[in-house]
């Protein structure tokens, strides 16, 4: 499986590494949207009308003062712009890279409505945050120590945002995470070409410069960490454990060794420096219709798979991957087949049945077809795994009120593991931040 010599090609049968020349891996996994330079940023910022009651700001889940930070860039003070962003969203650097801006701030931008070309808010946000982060400057200081201690379970965007806000307020924070590295899906999930050069790890390091936060990795609630002990050792608990489980296909053949959870494949891909060492099939079938399905499919293609097909059981308009993401998949050469549900996985192929949507909901027809597949990825949704007993659930997630309080006093939750809200990085940041404010208010009351 040596990475440097080309031993295989996209036409090699089976699941093999090194399908492409080394240079192709470098360009395929490079930053998919290069950073703006100072001049480009000024030009992009000059397109902003600095609207009063700016719709872009309302559309941002973390309510960043977008016209203000763009004005600060336009007047040559990107450091001030970054502070404006970080005030609301301490992971503004990652969000600038991964937010579906085409569905959020940029969709709401008045220039999108007028001209079909919004102000490039995401890229401007990246310009400002990169300027400060690349200097290693951390623009916040801790308040006087309160003597209170808070446990955060999960070092993903929700947990990190919560921990940072609490540390800023003067509390001591211990973040427990089951994985060997902090960052959650920023580190193990986001597509490689959105977060290059180890940005997730560098962002965590930068965030921790606030002080007062200790991260303990390899600590899994419910496995080697008991909730009762955590509660005893701390004054409050925030749960930001994401969605650790995955839905099953419930089709015979699912346990064959060429069938994998898309999230595991993506995590391995994110953790592998030399992408040429990663084996991938010639004919890859991805089952699902969300962001995970698109990311698994696109990255399979980038690894050199010849044919990659996403198969989704409903129509394209029902896919949770946005139109933008679907177009991205199509432009990467991924085929999307809709209205088909898996019936069985066979050796070398997946059998699907066509589906119909009618008054009785989605039904499977008797008409079937097979797609050649030497590798199959399941991307049919993540589920909450290992939620502590005793917490009320809602729709399979932890029930919370508007401030992130769970049904148990002293325990808050936010991010993907909590009910309500989109499963997006920016939403997780907002929920972690807001829970921290409420934890602070309750500890100081
Ligand atoms: C493949 C993929 C691609 C995505 N791409 C995008 C994108 O481009 N843009 C976007 O906005 N969103 C994207 N998302 C969604 C986004 O990543 C999530 O919404 C976000 O990471 C949720 O943050 P979180 O902190 O709630 O959970 P997570 O990021 O999942 O973090 C949870 C953390 O808790 C830890 N943990 C879990 N169980 C335990 C336990 N029992 N004890 C201790 N620790 C535990 C985990 O190890 C993890 O570090 C993507 C998701 C996936 C799966
Ligand atoms: S809506 Fe567009 S033009 Fe108006 S403030 Fe926001 S980014 Fe600027």
């Amino acid at each position: 499986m040596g990475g440097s010599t080309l031993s295989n090609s996209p036409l090699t049968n089976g699941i093999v590494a090194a399908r492409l020349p080394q240079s192709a891996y470098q360009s395929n996994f490079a930053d998919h949207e290069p950073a703006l330079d100072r001049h480009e940023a000024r030009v992009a910022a000059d397109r902003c009308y600095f609207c009063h009651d700016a719709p872009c700001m309302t559309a941002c889940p973390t309510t960043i003062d977008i016209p203000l930070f763009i004005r600060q860039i336009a007047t040559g003070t990107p450091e001030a712009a970054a502070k404006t962003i970080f005030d609301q969203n301490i992971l503004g650097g990652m969000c600038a890279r991964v937010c579906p801006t085409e569905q959020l701030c940029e969709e709401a931008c008045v220039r999108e409505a007028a001209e079909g070309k919004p102000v490039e808010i995401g890229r401007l946000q990246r310009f400002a945050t990169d300027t400060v982060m690349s200097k290693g400057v951390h623009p916040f200081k801790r308040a006087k120590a309160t003597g209170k201690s808070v446990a955060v379970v999960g070092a993903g965007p929700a947990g990190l945002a919560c921990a940072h806000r609490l540390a800023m307020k003067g509390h001591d924070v211990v973040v427990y995470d089951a994985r060997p590295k902090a960052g959650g899906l920023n580190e193990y999930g986001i597509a490689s070409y959105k977060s290059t050069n180890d940005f997730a790890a560098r962002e965590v390091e930068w965030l921790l410069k606030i002080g007062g936060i200790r991260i303990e990795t390899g600590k899994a609630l419910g496995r080697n960490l008991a909730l009762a002990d955590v509660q005893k050792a701390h004054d409050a608990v925030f749960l930001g454990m994401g969605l650790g489980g995955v839905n099953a296909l419930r089709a015979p053949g699912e346990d064959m060794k060429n069938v994998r959870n898309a999230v595991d494949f993506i995590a391995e891909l994110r953790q592998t420096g030399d992408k040429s060492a990663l084996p991938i099939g010639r004919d890859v079938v991805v089952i699902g219709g969300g962001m995970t399905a698109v990311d698994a499919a696109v990255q399979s293609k980038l690894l050199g798979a010849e044919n990659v097909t996403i198969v989704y059981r409903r129509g394209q308009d029902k896919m949770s991957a946005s139109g933008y993401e679907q177009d991205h998949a199509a432009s990467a050469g991924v085929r999307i087949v809709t209205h088909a549900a898996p019936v069985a996985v066979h050796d070398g192929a997946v059998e699907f049945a066509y589906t119909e949507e009618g008054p009785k909901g989605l039904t499977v027809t008797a008409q079937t077809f097979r797609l050649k597949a030497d590798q199959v990825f399941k991307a049919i949704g993540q589920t909450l795994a290992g939620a502590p007993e005793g917490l009320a659930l809602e729709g399979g997630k932890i029930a919370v009120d508007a401030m992130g309080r769970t049904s148990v006093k002293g325990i808050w939750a936010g991010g993907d593991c909590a009910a309500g809200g989109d499963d997006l990085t920016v939403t997780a940041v907002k929920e972690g931040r807001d829970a921290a404010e409420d934890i602070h208010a309750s500890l100081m009351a």
Side-chain angles (χ1 to χ4, degrees), residues 358-402:
K360 287 193 196 139
L362 191 77
T363 50
V364 175
T365 68
Q367 213 181 352
T368 63
F369 67 94
R370 287 186 183 213
L371 279 181
K372 208 168 148 198
D374 42 28
Q375 191 161 33
V376 182
F377 293 121
K378 298 185 278 182
I380 49 176
Q382 283 103 253
T383 56
L384 177 61
E389 276 179 26
L391 292 180
L393 300 184
E394 188 187 320
K397 294 185 170 195
I398 301 170
V400 287
D401 69 9

Side-chain angles (χ1 to χ4, degrees), residues 137-222:
V137 177
H138 191 89
F140 299 99
K141 287 213 164 39
R142 294 187 73 192
K144 210 165 124 262
T146 61
K148 304 279 184 193
S149 162
V150 183
V152 169
V153 179
L160 290 171
C162 183
H164 185 273
R165 186 57 62 109
L166 288 166
M168 225 168 85
K169 304 273 187 194
H171 308 296
D172 287 329
V173 187
V174 182
V175 184
Y176 301 98
D177 199 288
R179 298 243 204 196
K181 286 192 200 168
L185 289 171
N186 285 357
E187 176 62 47
Y188 291 98
I190 296 294
S192 301
Y193 46 83
K194 291 186 189 170
S195 170
T196 54
N197 297 325
D198 220 8
F199 182 75
R202 288 190 285 119
E203 187 177 47
V204 172
E205 202 178 306
W206 173 85
L207 179 145
L208 293 178
K209 284 183 196 284
I210 183 78
I213 305 174
R214 193 174 85 235
I215 297 202
E216 292 200 14
T217 52
K219 291 281 170 66
L221 193 70

Side-chain angles (χ1 to χ4, degrees), residues 1-12 14-22 24-25 274-281 302-305:
M1 285 199 196
S4 50
T5 47
L6 181 61
S7 45
N8 293 305
S9 84
L11 306 184
T12 310
I15 305 175
V16 299
R19 285 185 180 275
L20 303 173
Q22 193 70 38
Y25 291 100
D274 178 6
K275 305 286 187 249
S276 72
L278 266 176
I280 191 74
L302 299 180
L303 286 174

